[in-house]
């Protein structure tokens, strides 16, 4: 599940009000993970780091942790149910985070680059 955890982490890094950004201890662990991903670490090598970050979040009272199944947000811009033909995806191809394209560019704070436009296949 590390790719899913990386996607959640990337989204949480993008939120200035999130505990991943506001708690110094949690932020340090999150940035360490992002640095290792940028440095080419395989996701399998990061399992212990993700477990430690999850533990920090849970101990701080953030019950959602890094689990994508605990997030019930609707994809912004998904519209009225018609399929989205393009999404913004992880520019490094290392996680499953995606966002709806919009007027404002979306950055991946793990890789430090804009999210990549990816065409969906039917």
């Amino acid at each position: 599940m590390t790719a899913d955890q990386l996607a959640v982490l990337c989204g949480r890094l993008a939120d200035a009000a999130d505990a991943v950004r506001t708690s110094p201890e949690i932020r340090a662990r999150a940035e360490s993970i992002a640095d290792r991903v940028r440095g080419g670490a395989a996701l399998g090598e990061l399992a212990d780091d993700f477990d430690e970050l999850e533990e920090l979040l849970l101990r701080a009272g953030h019950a959602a942790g890094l689990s994508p199944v605990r997030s019930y947000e609707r994809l912004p811009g998904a519209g009225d149910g018609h399929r989205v033909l393009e999404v913004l995806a992880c520019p490094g191809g290392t996680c499953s985070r995606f966002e709806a394209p919009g007027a404002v560019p979306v950055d991946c704070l793990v890789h430090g680059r804009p999210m990549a436009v990816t065409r969906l296949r039917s």
Side-chain angles (χ1 to χ4, degrees), residues 79-92:
D80 60 1
H82 293 285
R83 67 178 189 221
V84 177
L85 300 176
E86 291 182 335
V87 295
L88 301 176
C90 176

Side-chain angles (χ1 to χ4, degrees), residues 35-114:
D35 288 344
R36 290 188 62 203
V37 170
R38 278 192 297 274
L43 291 180
E45 298 172 23
L46 299 171
D48 290 340
D49 296 280
F50 278 109
D51 288 345
E52 291 173 19
L53 179 57
E54 179 87 7
E55 181 65 28
L56 288 172
L57 286 165
L58 295 175
R59 274 191 283 143
H62 303 283
L66 292 175
S67 174
V69 297
R70 295 184 195 140
S71 176
Y72 299 101
E73 294 179 36
R74 184 177 171 179
L75 179 64
D80 60 1
H82 293 285
R83 67 178 189 221
V84 177
L85 300 176
E86 291 182 335
V87 295
L88 301 176
C90 176
T94 54
C95 80
S96 59
R97 178 181 176 204
F98 65 93
E99 302 283 345
V104 178
V106 178
D107 290 329
C108 169
L109 296 176
V110 170
H111 288 283
R113 299 192 319 246

